[in-house]
Amino acid sequence: MVLALLICGLVVVLVALGLFVFGLRRRLIQRSGGTFDCSLRWNVPAEPDLSGKGWVYGVARYNGDRINWFRVFSYAPRPRRTLERSAIEVVSRRAPEGEEELALLSDAVILGCAHRGVRLELAMSDDALTGFLAWLEAAPPGQRVNVA
């Protein structure tokens, strides 16, 4: 009986510690500012896939001429993807359809992009989209900007 209570207590402590670390990591990512919630779907096929598969919830952070994208449900301190401003080409904009509405945040807008030949989609709120497009267009003189 005592052993079972000890094991249950240990499991509760480990779960609480894991949740605390998730929260602390997100707080550290957002500490420097310039962050927004952004779901990502990498290596998207040419034909639209409305099944909702492949979307990963994350947090994106502006870092000079780059955007660092971090998975929310990860303990990794480094970004999972880094997108360079000069290599991002905006191809399309659309609203979530079908099962994507369940996989994404309720107010999400999907931006179809290409980055160094890889097709990807970013889903973010209208406010985050406005900031993202402004950041893209604010490239230093001489850099090409590809916004559709």
Side-chain angles (χ1 to χ4, degrees):
M1 178 72 173
V2 174
L3 182 60
L5 287 175
L6 183 64
I7 291 174
C8 288
L10 184 61
V11 168
V12 169
V13 167
L14 289 176
V15 168
L17 183 64
L19 292 174
F20 175 76
V21 171
F22 272 134
L24 179 64
R25 178 180 169 270
R26 183 169 176 141
R27 192 77 162 169
L28 290 174
I29 290 169
Q30 293 178 327
R31 182 178 66 189
S32 62
T35 61
F36 58 98
D37 291 335
C38 177
S39 295
L40 172 77
R41 184 157 62 170
W42 191 260
N43 213 4
V44 178
E47 296 178 17
D49 179 16
L50 306 177
S51 67
K53 294 180 182 175
W55 286 105
V56 181
Y57 184 59
V59 175
R61 179 176 64 194
Y62 296 107
N63 185 13
D65 284 339
R66 295 186 174 112
I67 286 188
N68 294 327
W69 183 84
F70 299 84
R71 292 177 64 126
V72 167
F73 300 109
S74 171
Y75 292 110
R78 296 181 188 262
R80 175 80 173 170
R81 303 274 183 211
T82 299
L83 307 175
E84 296 175 17
R85 179 178 9 210
S86 61
I88 298 173
E89 179 181 349
V90 176
V91 178
S92 64
R93 179 193 302 190
R94 65 182 177 87
E97 300 175 22
E99 293 183 28
E100 284 181 325
E101 293 181 50
L102 301 173
L104 301 172
L105 296 175
S106 61
D107 63 341
V109 176
I110 299 173
L111 204 60
C113 301
H115 184 266
R116 301 199 184 282
V118 176
R119 292 175 44 93
L120 63 112
E121 290 181 326
L122 301 169
M124 60 191 85
S125 69
D126 276 326
D127 293 340
L129 177 63
T130 301
F132 178 77
L133 294 175
W135 174 78
L136 274 179
E137 293 174 358
Q143 281 190 353
R144 64 182 176 90
V145 175
N146 301 308
V147 177

